[in-house]
C-alpha cells in the first residue's frame, strides 16, 4: 500500500524552508525517522515519518518552501509489518505479565503471611467484603463520635501497625480531590457577578496589550496563556485578601509570577494607575513610560517590588523574606501585624532546585506568614510538566513531607454533585489514575472527548454522567478557575497557624483562548491572536466590545461610575490601597563617626593581621555605634569560625525562632554557640542561595518594611557570585543595599584549599552587575575607608548600590594610612610609594589585594639590585577605574569639539614615566580593564588557570605573581621597551630559576 507523507501542523509558520533532506528514494525507513529538516527564523525542526516503509518518491528538495499539507514523500508499507510485529509482541508480553500478576493475587493467602517488616501497602483489594466492613465502621465512628475521634482511631491503628512492623502506609499523598470538602468551605462575601465582569475585562486587556505590542513588532514578545490560567487566583487575592502598605499597616508582600505581569498591568489600568498610553508601551522600555516585560523594580521602581522572572528565585526569596519578617519581629524592630508573604509560582518552575530547596526551612521555622500558590496548569514552555504523572500529587508529597499545610484546589464547584453522587468510588479512582498528559488533552479536545476518555472507561462513570450533555461535561471546571474554591483555600491559608501553607491549584493553560491556545503545547509562546481568536475570546468572557472594537483590539474600561470600577476601587480601599506598589519611608542611618575606624588608620607595627580579621574587628567596633548596631545583620552560611567570627555568637547571638532548647556543648566557652530568639546573626547553614536570599530580604527592608538594615554577608569568595550569580543580579534589580564580603579570596592567597575553592575571578563577575561597587583592598586602612564610605553612600545617602569587598586570610603587618588618600582609595588607586633614589629607569607598578605586597617587595629588589625605580600604586578597584574610564571616553567621543576630559587612571599615570606592570591575585582580564585608558605599554600578570592546593609561595610561583616573577617580567618588559638591555632580565630569569619551557598555567 502506498502512503503519502505530508507536512503536519507546524504552528504559526507558513512557507518554511527545507534545509536538509534526510532520506532518498529506495530508503527503508521506520516510523518516526526524520524525513526533512525545516528552518524558520526562530528554530529548526525535523519532520518525522508517520509510517514505516520504503521511500518510493521524494517530492521536495533543499531550499523548497513548505507549509502545512505539502507532500514530502510517498512510501510503500513493505517493512511496516516488522514494526507492527514488534509492537504486538510488546503487547503480548504486557498481557502475559498482567495475567501472572492476577494469578498471584488469586493465590494470595493472607494466613501464610506472618510479619514482614515494612511492607508497602497493597493496591489490590483481595477481600472487598472485609474492606467494606472497615469502611462502614469508620463511617459509623464519624457519624456517631465525630471526625476527631475517627482521626484518633486511625492514627492509633497506624501506630499499632508500625509498631508491629507490618505496613508502610502511603501517607505521602491524599486522594486527587480538593483538600477542603464543600461543606467546610468558607464562603466569599464578594459579589460574584461583578467580580466575574472585572475578571473578564482584566483578561481581555491583558491579552489585548500583548497582541497590540506584537503588532508593533513581533520582537517585543509577551505571554497570554500564563495569566489566562491564573486570572482567578490573582483576582480573589486582590478583591479579598491582600492588604496594601499604608500609614497604618506594613502591607502583605506578593511575589507575582514573572510572566503573568500583563494581568497586573491590566488590573492597574482599571484601577486608574496605568494609562492606556502605557498599556500601548508594553515591553517598550527604552523611552520612559513603558511597561517592563516582567516584574523589574529597577525599571519600574514605584510599581514592582520583587524581581521574580528567573524561575526558582521567587520561591527561595519569598521563604527567606517571610523568615526575615519574623526575624525583625523577634528582634523587636518590627511590629507584628500578621502580615503575609504570598508567592505565586508555575508548576514547571517547581523543577528548579531553588524552588523546593528551602521548603524544609520554612516548615522548621513555622513560617505561618508564608503562602505559596502553585498554579498547576500542567504545562510549562514546551509541553506537559509531568505528562506521565501528576504534578499536583508530586508536589503534595514534597510539601507534606517537609511539614507544610497543603491545600489542594483541584476541582471546581461543578464537580461537587458528581463527587457526592458517586457511591461506587470509581470517580475518585479514575481521578487518581488519570495522568496529567491526559488531563491536558481533555481540556484541549472538548466535552465529547472527556465523556469518552475520562468517564467512558468505567460503566459506573458513564452512568454517572448519562444525563449530562457534552457541553455540561465541558463546563466541569477546574479548582483554580473557581472563585469559590479559591476563596475557601485562601481563607483557610490565612487562618493557618504554626506552618507555612501551599495552595496547589489546578488550572488550564491559556484558559479561554480556544483553539488558538487553550491547553495545547504551544500555548506558552502564543502572543498573537487573529481576528477570529479575539472574537472568540471576547465571546467566551462576554466582554462588551463590538466586532469593530475587537478588530481594532481596543482596550475595555467601563466608566469611573460603573459598578465594576466602583466595586474594584472599593475593594482595594478596604484592603488599604493598591498592590503592587513600591515605596520607602525608612529613616536613614547616620554613618558612624570617623573615630570608630580610627584604629585601622594606624600601623599595626610588627603585629600581623589578615583583612578578614580587620573586617571582623570593624564589625565589632560598629556594634558599639548606637545607630548602626541594631541594624547590622551579619549573615554567614556556615563559616563563622573560618572567618574568625565565632565571637559574635555569644556577643549578639544566633537568631533562632525558638530560642535555645538545649545547653550547648561549649556553654562554658567564651564563644559558645548561643542561639536566641532575638539573636542578630543569621547563621544559615550550608546554603549560599539561602544566605543570599536572607541578604536580599535585609538589603531591601528599607522598602518592604520601611526600615533600613545593614546586611553584611560573608562567604567564601569562590562560592559567591559564581554560585548565586542570578540572585545577585536580581538583588541589583531589587536595589538592594548592603555589603557582600568575599572572604578567603585570591587564587594564591587561600592556598591549601585547591581548585574549586581558590577564587581568581569573582571581581570580574561582580563587575557585570551595574550597581555593584567592588573593591580588592590590601590594607586595613583601605578597608576601613571603603567600608565607612559604603555605609555613608548606601545607608545615609540611600544610593541604590551594593558593595562587594574581598578580604583575605593572609596575615601581614599593615602600614599607617598615608596622608590625604581617602578620596583616591575610593576612586580606585593611589600612589602608595615612590622610589626615586637612583632615578634613571622608571616603571609604574600597580597591584591589588595581597599581591600588592609582592609588588612592593619586587620594587625593593628592582631598586636595590637592578637600578630600576618604581612608582607603586595600590589599586583598590580595577572595576571602579574601568567604570570611570568608560564614562570619560564616551563623553569625549560624544563631544569631539570640547577639551578632552581625563579619566582618573590617566590623571594618575600620564605624567609618570615607564611602562605599566599590573599585578593581582585575579585573572589578567581584571587589571586589563584599565589598559585602554593608559597611553603607556601595559603588561599584566595574573592568576589565569585552575587553582590547586599548595603553599602560598609555591602557588604564586606557579601563577607567576610572586615578587621574583614580577622582577623578571618587569626587566624583560623594560628590555622590550628598549629602556634596558636584555642582560638584566636574563640574569633575573636565571637567578630565580624561572623555567622558560613551563606551559602557560591555563594549560596545566
Ligand atoms: C531560570 C529560568 N529558566 C528559564 C526561563 C524561561 N521560561 C519562562 S516561562 C517558562 C515556563 C514556565 O512554566 P511554568 O512555571 O509552568 O509557568 P506557566 O507559564 O505554565 O504558568 C520558562 C522555561 C526562565 N524564565 N527562568
Ligand atoms: Mg505551568
Amino acid at each position: 500500500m502506498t502512503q503519502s507523507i505530508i507536512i503536519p501542523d507546524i504552528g504559526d509558520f507558513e512557507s518554511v524552508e527545507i534545509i536538509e533532506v534526510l532520506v532518498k528514494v529506495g530508503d527503508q525507513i521506520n516510523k518516526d525517522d526524520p524525513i526533512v529538516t525545516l528552518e524558520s527564523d526562530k528554530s529548526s525542526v525535523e519532520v518525522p515519518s508517520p509510517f514505516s516503509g520504503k521511500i518510493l518518491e521524494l517530492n521536495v528538495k533543499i531550499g523548497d518552501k513548505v507549509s502545512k499539507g505539502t507532500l514530502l514523500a510517498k512510501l510503500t508499507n513493505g517493512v511496516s509489518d516488522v514494526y507492527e510485529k514488534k509492537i504486538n509482541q510488546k503487547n503480548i508480553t504486557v498481557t502475559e505479565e498482567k495475567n501472572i500478576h492476577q494469578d498471584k493475587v488469586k493465590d494470595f493467602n493472607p494466613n501464610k503471611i506472618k510479619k514482614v517488616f515494612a511492607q508497602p501497602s497493597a493496591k489490590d483489594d483481595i477481600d472487598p467484603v472485609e474492606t467494606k466492613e472497615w469502611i462502614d465502621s469508620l463511617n459509623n465512628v464519624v457519624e456517631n463520635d465525630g471526625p476527631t475521634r475517627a482521626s484518633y482511631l486511625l492514627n492509633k491503628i497506624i501506630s499499632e501497625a508500625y509498631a508491629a512492623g507490618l505496613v508502610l502506609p502511603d501517607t505521602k499523598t491524599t486522594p486527587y480531590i480538593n483538600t477542603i470538602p464543600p461543606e467546610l468551605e468558607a464562603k466569599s462575601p464578594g459579589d460574584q457577578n461583578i467580580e466575574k465582569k472585572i475578571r473578564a475585562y482584566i483578561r481581555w486587556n491583558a491579552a489585548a496589550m500583548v497582541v497590540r505590542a506584537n503588532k508593533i513588532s513581533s520582537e517585543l514578545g509577551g505571554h497570554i496563556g500564563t495569566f489566562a490560567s491564573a486570572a482567578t487566583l490573582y483576582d480573589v487575592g486582590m478583591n479579598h485578601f491582600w492588604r496594601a502598605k499604608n500609614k497604618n499597616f506594613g502591607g502583605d508582600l506578593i511575589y507575582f509570577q514573572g510572566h503573568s505581569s500583563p494581568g497586573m498591568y491590566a488590573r492597574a489600568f482599571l484601577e486608574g494607575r496605568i494609562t492606556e498610553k502605557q498599556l500601548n508601551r508594553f515591553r517598550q522600555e527604552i523611552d520612559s513610560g513603558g511597561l517592563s516585560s516582567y516584574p523589574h523594580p529597577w525599571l519600574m521602581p514605584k510599581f514592582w517590588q520583587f524581581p521574580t522572572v528567573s524561575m526558582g528565585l521567587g520561591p527561595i526569596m519569598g521563604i527567606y523574606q517571610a523568615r526575615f519578617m519574623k526575624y525583625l519581629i523577634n528582634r523587636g524592630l518590627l511590629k507584628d501585624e500578621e502580615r503575609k508573604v504570598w508567592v505565586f509560582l508555575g508548576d514547571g518552575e517547581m523543577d528548579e532546585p531553588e524552588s523546593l530547596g528551602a521548603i524544609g526551612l520554612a516548615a522548621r521555622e513555622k513560617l505561618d506568614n508564608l503562602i505559596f500558590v502553585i498554579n498547576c496548569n500542567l504545562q510549562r514552555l514546551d509541553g506537559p510538566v509531568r505528562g506521565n504523572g501528576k504534578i499536583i500529587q508530586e508536589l503534595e508529597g514534597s510539601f507534606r513531607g517537609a511539614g507544610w499545610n497543603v491545600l489542594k484546589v483541584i476541582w471546581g464547584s461543578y464537580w461537587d454533585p458528581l463527587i457526592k453522587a458517586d457511591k461506587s468510588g470509581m470517580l475518585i479512582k479514575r481521578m487518581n489514575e488519570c495522568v496529567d498528559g491526559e488531563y491536558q488533552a481533555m481540556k484541549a479536545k472538548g466535552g465529547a472527548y472527556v465523556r469518552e476518555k475520562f468517564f467512558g472507561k468505567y460503566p459506573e462513570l458513564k452512568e454517572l454522567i448519562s444525563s449530562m450533555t457534552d457541553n455540561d461535561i465541558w463546563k466541569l471546571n477546574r479548582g483554580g478557575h473557581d472563585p469559590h474554591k479559591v476563596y475557601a483555600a485562601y481563607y483557610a491559608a490565612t487562618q493557618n497557624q504554626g506552618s507555612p501553607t501551599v495552595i496547589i491549584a489546578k488550572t488550564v493553560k491559556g484558559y479561554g483562548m480556544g483553539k488558538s491556545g487553550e491547553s495545547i503545547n504551544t500555548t506558552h509562546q502564543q502572543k498573537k491572536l487573529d481576528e477570529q481568536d479575539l472574537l472568540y475570546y471576547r465571546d467566551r468572557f462576554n466582554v462588551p466590545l463590538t466586532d469593530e472594537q475587537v478588530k481594532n483590539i481596543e482596550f475595555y474600561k467601563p466608566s469611573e461610575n460603573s459598578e465594576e470600577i466602583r466595586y474594584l476601587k472599593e475593594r482595594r480601599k478596604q484592603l488599604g490601597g493598591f498592590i503592587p506598589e513600591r515605596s520607602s519611608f525608612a529613616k536613614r542611618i547616620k554613618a558612624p563617626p570617623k573615630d570608630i575606624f580610627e584604629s585601622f588608620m594606624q600601623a599595626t607595627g610588627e603585629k600581623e593581621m589578615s583583612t578578614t580579621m580587620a573586617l571582623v574587628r570593624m564589625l565589632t567596633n560598629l556594634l558599639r555605634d548606637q545607630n548602626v548596631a541594631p541594624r547590622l545583620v551579619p549573615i554567614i552560611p556556615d563559616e563563622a569560625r573560618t572567618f574568625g567570627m565565632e565571637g559574635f555568637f555569644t556577643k549578639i547571638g544566633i537568631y533562632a525562632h525558638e530560642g535555645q532548647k538545649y545547653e550547648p556543648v561549649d556553654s562554658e566557652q567564651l564563644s559558645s554557640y548561643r542561639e536566641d530568639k532575638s539573636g542578630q546573626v543569621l547563621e544559615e547553614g550550608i546554603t549560599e542561595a539561602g544566605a543570599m536570599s536572607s541578604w536580599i530580604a535585609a538589603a531591601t527592608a528599607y522598602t518592604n518594611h520601611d526600615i533600613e538594615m545593614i546586611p553584611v554577608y560573608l562567604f567564601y569568595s569562590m562560592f559567591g557570585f559564581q554560585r548565586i550569580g542570578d540572585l545577585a543580579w536580581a538583588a541589583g534589580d531589587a536595589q538592594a543595599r548592603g555589603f557582600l564580603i568575599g572572604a578567603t579570596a585570591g587564587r594564591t592567597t587561600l592556598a591549601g584549599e585547591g581548585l574549586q575553592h581558590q577564587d581568581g575571578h569573582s571581581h570580574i563577575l561582580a563587575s557585570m552587575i551595574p550597581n555593584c561597587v567592588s573593591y580588592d583592598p590590601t590594607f586595613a586602612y583601605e578597608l576601613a575607608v571603603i567600608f565607612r564610605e559604603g555605609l555613608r553612600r548606601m545607608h545615609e545617602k540611600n544610593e541604590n548600590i551594593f558593595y562587594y569587598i574581598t578580604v583575605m586570610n593572609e596575615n601581614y603587618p599593615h602600614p599607617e594610612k598615608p596622608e590625604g588618600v581617602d578620596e583616591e582609595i575610593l576612586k580606585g588607586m593611589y600612589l602608595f610609594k615612590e622610589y626615586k633614589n637612583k632615578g634613571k629607569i622608571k616603571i609604574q607598578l600597580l597591584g591589588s589585594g595581597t599581591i600588592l605586597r609582592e609588588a612592593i617587595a619586587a620594587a625593593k629588589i628592582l631598586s636595590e639590585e637592578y637600578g630600576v625605580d618604581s612608582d607603586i600604586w595600590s589599586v583598590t578597584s580595577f572595576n571602579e577605574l574601568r567604570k570611570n574610564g568608560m564614562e570619560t571616553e564616551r563623553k569625549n567621543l560624544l563631544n569631539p569639539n570640547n577639551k578632552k576630559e581625563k579619566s582618573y587612571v590617566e590623571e594618575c599615570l600620564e605624567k609618570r614615566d615607564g611602562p605599566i606592570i599590573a599585578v593581582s591575585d585575579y585573572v589578567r582580564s581584571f587589571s586589563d580593564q584599565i589598559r585602554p585608558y593608559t597611553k603607556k605599554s601595559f603588561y599584566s600578570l595574573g592568576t589565569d588557570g585552575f587553582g590547586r592546593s599548595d603553599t602560598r609561595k609555591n602557588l604564586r610561583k606557579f601563577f607567576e605573581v610572586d615578587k621574583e616573577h614580577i622582577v623578571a617580567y618587569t626587566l624583560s618588559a623594560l628590555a622590550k621597551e628598549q629602556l634596558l638591555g636584555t642582560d638584566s632580565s636574563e640574569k633575573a630569569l636565571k637567578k630565580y630559576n624561572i623555567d622558560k619551557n613551563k606551559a602557560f598555567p591555563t594549560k596545566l
Side-chain angles (χ1 to χ4, degrees):
M1 183 183 154
T2 308
Q3 289 190 297
S4 301
I5 305 176
I6 54 166
I7 298 278
D9 187 350
I10 43 177
D12 250 3
F13 305 106
E14 270 295 302
S15 249
V16 279
E17 195 179 333
I18 294 192
I19 57 158
E20 276 178 310
V21 177
L22 303 157
V23 294
K24 52 186 189 315
V25 173
D27 281 1
Q28 195 70 54
I29 58 164
N30 279 328
K31 182 172 178 274
D32 292 333
D33 280 354
I35 308 288
V36 293
T37 310
L38 307 179
E39 190 173 72
S40 72
D41 55 346
K42 270 169 58 186
S43 59
S44 59
V45 59
E46 288 177 349
V47 179
S49 168
F51 324 104
S52 310
K54 187 173 184 174
I55 302 279
L56 266 188
E57 214 180 287
L58 203 54
N59 302 69
V60 287
K61 56 181 185 321
I62 291 176
D64 284 359
K65 298 268 172 88
V66 294
S67 301
K68 179 180 173 187
T70 307
L71 177 66
L72 283 179
K74 288 189 175 163
L75 47 72
T76 47
N77 273 71
V79 211
S80 63
D81 294 352
V82 177
Y83 183 82
E84 300 300 337
K85 257 185 216 149
K86 272 193 207 155
I87 295 267
N88 287 338
Q89 271 167 6
K90 265 195 202 158
N91 284 348
I92 289 164
T93 329
V94 171
T95 327
E96 278 166 5
E97 268 177 16
K98 209 171 165 193
N99 286 340
I100 293 166
H101 180 68
Q102 277 169 357
D103 288 342
K104 268 191 196 162
V105 172
K106 238 190 278 163
D107 289 342
F108 177 71
N109 179 352
N111 295 331
K112 281 192 207 151
I113 304 287
K114 291 282 182 221
K115 277 190 185 178
V116 178
F117 176 69
Q119 266 228 320
S121 56
K123 301 267 187 274
D124 293 303
D125 194 347
I126 54 170
D127 188 346
V129 178
E130 187 186 37
T131 311
K132 191 169 179 310
E133 279 169 16
W134 278 72
I135 290 175
D136 286 348
S137 316
L138 177 68
N139 286 338
N140 266 338
V141 178
V142 176
E143 242 164 63
N144 298 326
D145 305 321
T148 318
R149 172 72 186 152
S151 232
Y152 175 84
L153 285 176
L154 283 175
N155 279 326
K156 215 50 200 158
I157 289 169
I158 289 169
S159 302
E160 221 26 52
Y162 269 131
L166 281 180
V167 285
L168 272 185
D170 185 3
T171 53
K172 196 175 66 178
T173 56
T174 59
Y176 198 62
I177 51 172
N178 295 352
T179 309
I180 306 175
E183 52 286 5
L184 295 183
E185 284 167 7
K187 299 281 172 256
S188 168
D191 182 324
Q192 292 308 320
N193 278 334
I194 300 183
E195 288 187 17
K196 195 170 170 187
K197 284 190 199 164
I198 294 171
R199 197 155 48 246
Y201 308 157
I202 294 176
R203 283 176 182 286
W204 171 265
N205 289 334
M209 182 184 72
V210 176
V211 176
R212 285 182 82 99
N214 281 278
K215 289 249 179 231
I216 296 170
S217 164
S218 58
E219 287 168 26
L220 295 174
H223 302 89
I224 301 171
T226 296
F227 178 70
S229 73
T232 307
L233 298 175
Y234 287 116
D235 235 43
V236 173
M238 287 287 196
N239 285 333
H240 300 287
F241 291 93
W242 303 335
R243 300 154 301 173
K245 170 162 127 179
N246 56 36
K247 60 179 186 321
N248 306 316
F249 182 71
D252 293 324
L253 301 176
I254 322 293
Y255 288 69
F256 295 101
Q257 194 189 1
H259 45 289
S260 65
S261 61
M264 309 313 132
Y265 296 137
R267 173 171 262 271
F269 171 60
L270 293 190
E271 289 167 347
R273 298 198 292 147
I274 279 182
T275 61
E276 183 163 341
K277 199 166 150 208
Q278 284 174 291
L279 287 188
N280 279 323
R281 298 274 311 284
F282 176 54
R283 291 190 172 222
Q284 298 147 73
E285 308 172 47
I286 294 302
D287 298 321
S288 65
L291 298 178
S292 68
S293 50
Y294 300 116
H296 293 303
W298 185 262
L299 300 169
M300 292 180 71
K302 299 213 160 115
F303 193 81
W304 293 117
Q305 297 172 282
F306 307 107
T308 47
V309 76
S310 179
M311 325 235 107
L313 302 193
I316 194 162
M317 289 194 294
I319 288 175
Y320 282 88
Q321 176 67 260
R323 175 166 173 257
F324 191 71
M325 208 191 247
K326 296 239 178 196
Y327 167 95
L328 288 175
I329 293 167
N330 284 330
R331 285 195 52 209
L333 293 167
L334 195 69
K335 209 161 78 187
D336 187 359
E337 300 174 305
E338 305 208 331
R339 293 162 65 201
K340 304 275 181 203
V341 177
W342 293 70
V343 185
F344 279 77
L345 305 164
D347 46 359
E349 181 173 11
M350 296 314 292
D351 284 344
E352 292 284 4
E354 291 86 348
S355 300
L356 290 170
I359 62 171
L361 168 122
R364 214 160 47 238
E365 305 233 350
K366 301 191 167 59
L367 300 182
D368 48 15
N369 57 344
L370 177 66
I371 299 167
F372 270 20
V373 181
I374 309 180
N375 175 17
C376 290
N377 53 28
L378 313 186
Q379 288 176 242
R380 47 185 165 77
L381 196 153
D382 284 337
V385 175
R386 292 288 182 274
N388 291 322
K390 287 230 260 302
I391 186 65
I392 291 180
Q393 298 300 85
E394 187 183 317
L395 291 172
E396 178 186 33
S398 302
F399 281 92
R400 271 166 65 91
W404 285 52
N405 171 38
V406 178
L407 299 175
K408 294 196 289 190
V409 184
I410 302 180
W411 308 113
S413 306
Y414 290 111
W415 285 91
D416 290 344
L418 277 187
I419 296 173
K420 200 164 179 198
D422 175 46
K423 300 292 175 218
S424 66
M426 297 307 275
L427 183 56
I428 293 180
K429 176 177 161 58
R430 183 71 186 115
M431 287 168 166
N432 283 340
E433 73 192 10
C434 197
V435 293
D436 283 355
E438 296 173 283
Y439 280 123
Q440 182 195 343
M442 282 173 206
K443 279 299 173 193
K445 298 196 173 177
Y449 185 87
V450 180
R451 180 191 298 277
E452 183 200 331
K453 298 282 176 182
F454 186 79
F455 295 105
K457 184 161 179 192
Y458 298 114
E460 294 88 339
L461 298 187
K462 261 192 196 161
E463 175 57 31
L464 191 66
I465 51 137
S466 56
S467 64
M468 290 169 76
T469 65
D470 289 348
N471 203 23
D472 292 337
I473 293 176
W474 183 239
K475 276 195 188 145
L476 290 170
N477 53 347
R478 290 193 176 165
H481 295 300
D482 185 330
H484 305 281
K485 302 286 180 196
V486 174
Y487 182 91
Y490 283 10
Y491 181 83
T494 52
Q495 301 303 304
N496 181 55
Q497 290 194 345
S499 62
T501 294
V502 58
I503 292 164
I504 312 180
K506 182 164 170 162
T507 62
V508 179
K509 194 146 177 169
Y511 185 71
M513 289 169 74
K515 291 211 167 19
S516 68
E518 188 155 346
S519 204
I520 56 177
N521 280 340
T522 50
T523 303
H524 191 85
Q525 304 288 69
Q526 183 61 281
K527 49 188 183 257
K528 294 178 188 162
L529 297 180
D530 64 22
E531 227 168 82
Q532 287 315 310
D533 297 335
L534 286 166
L535 289 166
Y536 175 88
Y537 204 57
R538 175 203 60 183
D539 294 344
R540 174 92 179 248
F541 295 111
N542 290 322
V543 183
L545 287 174
T546 64
D547 286 4
E548 198 53 32
Q549 288 173 310
V550 169
K551 283 175 199 159
N552 294 333
I553 325 173
E554 287 181 25
F555 295 117
Y556 181 73
K557 185 174 176 184
S559 79
E560 284 299 303
N561 251 337
S562 63
E563 61 173 2
E564 297 95 308
I565 296 292
R566 279 191 284 125
Y567 182 90
L568 168 132
K569 287 195 168 169
E570 179 56 26
R571 289 310 313 142
R572 287 315 314 165
K573 196 171 155 203
Q574 291 300 323
L575 289 159
F578 294 119
I579 283 179
E581 195 168 74
R582 187 175 181 277
S583 61
S584 175
F585 302 98
K587 288 207 185 82
R588 295 149 197 266
I589 302 173
K590 202 169 157 19
K594 283 201 162 157
D595 58 356
I596 281 215
F597 295 94
E598 214 40 58
S599 58
F600 301 99
M601 309 304 175
Q602 315 302 325
T604 56
E606 294 289 285
K607 207 169 157 345
E608 296 193 336
M609 170 168 84
S610 69
T611 39
T612 305
M613 283 157 68
L615 179 86
V616 174
R617 279 197 206 164
M618 235 168 266
L619 294 176
T620 312
N621 286 6
L622 282 172
L623 286 169
R624 293 181 204 125
D625 181 86
Q626 57 168 5
N627 294 321
V628 171
R631 306 303 178 84
L632 265 187
V633 186
I635 304 172
I636 326 147
D638 186 31
E639 299 283 353
R641 293 179 202 278
T642 313
F643 308 143
M645 291 179 72
E646 61 271 42
F648 283 38
F649 294 165
T650 348
K651 191 172 165 57
I652 46 177
I654 297 163
Y655 172 69
H657 74 287
E658 292 181 309
Q660 192 156 35
K661 296 175 171 174
Y662 61 98
E663 187 179 332
V665 61
D666 56 1
S667 58
E668 307 291 304
Q669 292 168 16
L670 187 63
S671 300
S672 150
Y673 199 86
R674 184 172 74 85
E675 301 195 57
D676 192 333
K677 191 166 178 176
S678 60
Q680 194 162 349
V681 177
L682 287 171
E683 164 86 27
E684 300 293 12
I686 310 164
T687 162
E688 280 77 15
M692 186 65 188
S693 301
S694 272
W695 182 83
I696 293 173
T700 51
Y702 70 89
T703 158
N704 296 321
H705 307 291
D706 287 332
I707 177 164
E708 186 87 28
M709 299 299 287
I710 309 172
V712 186
Y713 168 26
L714 285 97
F715 48 87
Y716 256 115
S717 73
M718 193 64 156
F719 306 136
F721 288 90
Q722 177 158 288
R723 185 69 179 244
I724 48 81
D726 209 14
L727 280 164
W729 185 255
D733 188 353
Q735 295 151 62
R737 300 173 190 157
F739 294 92
L740 293 175
I741 307 290
T744 57
R747 185 153 284 156
T748 67
T749 309
L750 178 55
E753 290 291 337
L755 185 151
Q756 193 83 40
H757 284 64
Q758 291 164 353
D759 165 34
H761 53 270
S762 64
H763 274 288
I764 300 285
L765 304 180
S767 76
M768 295 300 144
I769 300 179
N771 48 352
C772 174
V773 179
S774 48
Y775 289 96
D776 182 31
T778 313
F779 298 122
Y781 64 80
E782 295 174 354
L783 180 63
V785 169
I786 291 162
F787 202 89
R788 183 172 189 280
E789 178 67 358
L791 287 174
R792 196 190 66 83
R793 284 182 70 183
M794 293 187 287
H795 304 294
E796 186 176 312
K797 295 290 164 205
N798 291 167
E799 279 187 57
N800 287 322
I801 49 175
F802 64 92
Y803 271 56
Y804 176 58
I805 307 173
T806 39
V807 292
M808 278 71 74
N809 69 348
E810 183 176 359
N811 291 331
Y812 45 80
H814 294 250
E816 184 183 348
K817 180 170 77 85
E819 268 302 296
V821 293
D822 294 41
E823 272 304 302
E824 299 176 356
I825 289 174
L826 298 171
K827 282 181 172 171
M829 68 190 281
Y830 67 95
L831 190 62
F832 176 75
K833 184 170 173 153
E834 243 176 316
Y835 278 90
K836 293 192 202 162
N837 345 338
K838 307 209 170 160
K840 266 201 209 134
I841 309 162
K842 200 104 203 244
I843 59 153
Q844 302 302 311
L845 206 44
L846 275 55
S848 82
T850 46
I851 301 301
L852 171 64
R853 296 183 64 253
E854 298 287 338
I856 294 169
K860 189 161 185 282
I861 300 172
L862 285 165
S863 169
E864 289 172 2
E865 296 180 28
Y866 298 93
V868 173
D869 276 358
S870 315
D871 291 338
I872 306 170
W873 298 85
S874 172
V875 180
T876 47
S877 179
F878 282 109
N879 287 351
E880 287 300 291
L881 294 178
R882 164 83 174 167
K883 283 185 198 163
N884 171 269
M886 289 192 293
E887 217 176 326
T888 315
E889 184 177 79
R890 173 176 178 270
K891 204 164 172 190
N892 289 336
L893 288 171
L894 286 172
N895 298 286
N897 283 327
N898 292 4
K899 189 168 173 276
K900 299 265 168 296
E901 277 187 23
K902 288 186 184 120
S903 68
Y904 179 60
V905 171
E906 206 175 335
E907 256 174 45
C908 291
L909 296 172
E910 66 173 345
K911 297 211 173 97
R912 305 264 161 184
D913 294 329
I916 296 165
I917 314 283
V919 292
S920 79
D921 215 0
Y922 290 82
V923 290
R924 284 170 178 77
S925 51
F926 181 44
S927 49
D928 278 348
Q929 292 184 95
I930 63 164
R931 201 187 272 256
Y933 316 115
T934 64
K935 297 208 174 69
K936 301 179 190 309
S937 298
F938 191 104
Y939 301 88
S940 52
L941 302 181
T943 55
D944 299 73
F946 282 121
R948 58 210 61 203
S949 174
D950 212 307
T951 60
R952 264 183 207 129
K953 189 165 173 41
N954 284 344
L955 284 168
R956 287 179 185 167
K957 182 167 185 206
F958 175 83
F959 283 107
E960 307 176 0
V961 292
D962 57 357
K963 59 181 186 295
E964 292 83 3
H965 278 86
I966 298 174
V967 168
Y969 277 120
T970 301
L971 294 171
S972 204
L974 286 169
K976 190 177 163 239
E977 303 292 325
Q978 298 188 340
L979 294 167
L980 199 69
T982 51
D983 314 357
S984 307
S985 52
E986 286 295 356
K987 198 175 113 194
L989 287 164
K990 205 161 169 196
K991 179 174 175 190
Y992 301 132
N993 284 327
I994 293 175
D995 176 7
K996 294 184 185 182
N997 294 320
K998 188 187 118 193
F1000 190 61
T1002 53
K1003 297 183 175 156
L1004 293 171

